[in-house]
Amino acid sequence: MALSNTSSLCSRSLFQAQSLFPPSQSHQPAFPLLPNKPHRHPVSAVHAAEPAKTPVAEKPKTSSPSPSKVEPGRWSPDSWKLKKALQLPEYPKEADLESVLRTIEAFPPIVFAGEARTLEERLAEAAMGNAFLLQGGDCAESFKEFSANNIRDTFRILLQMGVVLMFGGQMPVIKVGRMAGQFAKPRTETLEERDGVKLPSYKGDNINGDAFTEKDRVPDPQRMIRAYCQSAATLNLLRAFATGGYAAMQRVTQWNLDFAEHSEQGDRYQELAHRVDEALGFMAAAGLTVEHPVMTSTEFWTSHECLLLPYEQALTRQDSTSGLYYDCSAHFIWVGERTRQLDGAHVEFLRGVANPIGIKVSNKMDPNELVKLIEILNPTNKPGRITVIVRMGAENLRVKLSNLIRAVRRAGQIVTWVCDPMHGNTIKAPCGLKTRAFDSILAEVRAFFDVHEQEGSHPGGIHLEMTGQNVTECIGGSRTVTYDDLGSRYHTHCDPRLNASQSLELAFIIAERLRKRRIGTQRLLSLSL
């Protein structure tokens, strides 16, 4: 049913793109919506950071596992096939895969190049300490839990967190969802064993099924088409929420989720919301309009891990105004800890697309390797291009992060530093379920801010696995979730997520750190005058 319902939405979402941004900016699609199919001729490679001197005709992307003839060192949408690719599924029938990729190549883009460029500009502000990134959403989206209510609830909690952070930090908050494409997941083990039976690991709904059966665990390329349609439908609804009045600041008191309404965090949010409401009333009384687009809508972007390279290539389009290639499956894409090899296929693909790019970094990252990786992905040192997402646990972060910051600073590289306090804190509960302790998550966030304060650098954002649903997947928080509670509402298909109450509690704590940082900066400026 999801496919039939989303097929009409797939195209509708694409023509509302420009409405996500202030009307002063133009975001019309700057490339053909459909690739040229009759002729398959070679195209000169264009690096992401180096605009073409003259527009180059778009080359339809090749689905074949064999790349087109590419000179060593030169980039093309399929040059990643010359490199070693980790974490990719093995499809049983190559012809079926090629057929699906040709179909996706003919689909319209999910996002537009102009949107990705605007996000890059916003992230450049975060790199300078003038904005803060809030990135969050599902560990892995699923076909079964695809519904308007789930999308709305996650969007709503991100709105609430954004207001809390903006109020505390007195700076713009860049809202990016792990939504509309966050399906594929890297796995440590290729096989999963249950009761002596071994089957391929579940890699995400766009690759195979999570049911532990031989049939479900076989990679099926048709799942990519369903993932495309679900992503387009999700983004269509997000655009409507962002621009259709739902995200208007005047509704700030109405965003509370029902189950959080009478909680400690819900009460704190309502108190803040009433203060915002009073400020809006003052503005209106003073003759300042609250009908400005900034007050009636919000900017919202999508992101996911760049893992399933055939799908990403099939949605790569060339911008006819600049000659640059964009991965039009999302505004922001990141390379994971398991696929960030300097000579690997994923880095090769990402170096040639002009989207803002994230790099997930654990305690295993060598400072010199990080500098080299940034150089490969951003040779012109463009602000906003690179976001370094640190995920290593509080103890490791206090030891390792300062060395990474210093190495990047010595190289003169401009990056946005972001904390992912989720992936370094996964543990197994006595019942066997994976979980994360809220106190451990909070400890890593505090360590992140402490290290940046010591180094004189900017904490640029937070990256969370979270949901607007009232799940019981992470233990702790003010509305304490215990080990015994985990089984009651444990819905994740992969890793445990913060629920709405825990997410909002974390936002208040971060907002207080941002407030103290702002006051400290203002005090230093006043003393220097």
Side-chain angles (χ1 to χ4, degrees), residues 6 14 77 109 135 149 241 243 266 299 352 364 429 443 475 485 514:
T6 58
L14 302 162
Q135 188 172 11
N149 287 346
F241 284 142
T243 62
E299 293 181 328
K364 299 176 184 176
I475 59 172
D485 297 325
L514 291 174

Side-chain angles (χ1 to χ4, degrees), residues 13 76 94 99 168 184 214 241 270 274 283 301-302 335 365 374 394 444 456 489:
S13 66
S76 71
E94 194 64 40
S99 176
E214 187 173 354
F241 284 142
Q270 280 299 332
H274 286 307
M283 289 171 58
W301 289 275
T302 62
V335 62
M365 173 64 87
I374 295 170
E444 183 162 357
R489 293 184 301 278

Side-chain angles (χ1 to χ4, degrees), residues 34-166:
L34 298 178
N36 297 321
K37 296 194 75 73
H39 304 290
R40 290 184 178 266
H41 42 264
V43 62
S44 299
V46 181
H47 198 280
E50 301 169 355
K53 294 180 181 178
T54 57
V56 184
E58 180 184 7
K59 176 200 170 192
K61 293 147 289 297
T62 306
S63 314
S64 167
S66 301
S68 56
K69 293 182 179 179
V70 180
E71 296 179 25
R74 291 181 62 88
W75 187 89
S76 71
D78 62 351
S79 60
W80 62 268
K81 295 175 182 175
L82 295 170
K83 306 284 187 175
K84 184 177 180 180
L86 302 180
Q87 296 288 336
L88 294 186
E90 295 183 8
Y91 293 97
K93 294 183 180 180
E94 194 64 40
D96 292 346
L97 173 62
E98 291 181 2
S99 176
V100 164
L101 294 178
R102 283 193 298 268
T103 299
I104 295 173
E105 286 172 2
F107 283 166
I110 295 176
V111 304
F112 292 143
E115 297 174 337
R117 282 194 289 269
T118 301
L119 175 57
E120 186 176 62
E121 293 169 4
R122 303 290 187 267
L123 292 171
E125 290 297 312
M128 299 295 108
N130 299 321
F132 193 80
L133 172 65
L134 170 61
Q135 188 172 11
D138 273 322
C139 168
E141 293 175 282
S142 75
F143 296 157
K144 286 186 288 189
E145 292 190 3
F146 175 50
S147 75
N149 287 346
N150 287 347
I151 296 167
R152 178 204 60 206
D153 289 349
T154 298
F155 180 73
R156 182 162 50 173
I157 193 64
L158 285 168
L159 286 179
Q160 289 183 291
M161 295 173 72
V163 168
V164 171
L165 294 170
M166 184 166 58

Side-chain angles (χ1 to χ4, degrees), residues 266-456:
D267 292 342
R268 288 184 70 186
Y269 175 78
Q270 280 299 332
E271 181 183 348
L272 183 148
H274 286 307
R275 293 171 66 185
V276 173
D277 209 33
E278 288 176 359
L280 293 176
F282 171 79
M283 289 171 58
L288 301 174
T289 178
V290 292
E291 300 303 321
H292 190 279
V294 169
M295 304 301 294
T296 59
S297 61
T298 190
E299 293 181 328
F300 195 86
W301 289 275
T302 62
S303 65
H304 63 251
E305 181 172 356
C306 179
L307 189 64
L308 188 56
L309 291 178
Y311 177 82
E312 305 296 339
Q313 180 194 329
L315 281 170
T316 298
R317 305 285 187 269
Q318 190 174 22
D319 177 6
S320 61
T321 61
S322 66
L324 303 181
Y325 284 91
Y326 285 83
D327 182 346
C328 296
S329 66
H331 302 108
F332 178 102
I333 47 180
W334 71 83
V335 62
E337 171 73 12
R338 297 176 180 89
T339 54
R340 58 170 173 75
Q341 297 78 19
L342 297 179
D343 58 350
H346 292 80
V347 170
E348 170 63 21
F349 174 79
L350 285 169
R351 78 178 180 92
V353 294
N355 307 61
I357 291 171
I359 303 171
K360 284 288 189 87
V361 171
S362 76
N363 60 304
K364 299 176 184 176
M365 173 64 87
D366 177 77
N368 293 326
E369 184 182 357
L370 177 59
V371 169
K372 290 177 183 176
L373 182 53
I374 295 170
E375 173 63 27
I376 291 170
L377 295 175
N378 190 24
T380 61
N381 203 21
K382 187 177 183 183
R385 163 75 169 167
I386 299 296
T387 297
V388 179
I389 307 169
V390 183
R391 41 147 294 184
M392 56 181 69
E395 187 175 338
N396 284 322
L397 188 143
R398 289 189 182 277
V399 175
K400 301 281 186 176
L401 179 57
S402 58
N403 293 327
L404 298 176
I405 293 172
R406 292 169 189 173
V408 169
R409 180 185 288 148
R410 282 196 301 269
Q413 295 169 329
I414 302 171
V415 305
T416 305
W417 294 98
V418 169
C419 175
D420 169 1
M422 309 299 294
H423 287 88
N425 293 300
T426 306
I427 58 175
K428 183 170 284 191
C431 62
L433 293 172
K434 287 194 293 184
T435 189
R436 290 159 172 158
F438 183 83
D439 287 347
S440 298
I441 293 168
L442 178 57
E444 183 162 357
V445 171
R446 285 176 170 155
F448 179 75
F449 275 87
D450 288 346
V451 171
H452 280 289
E453 188 172 323
Q454 295 162 12
E455 295 297 325

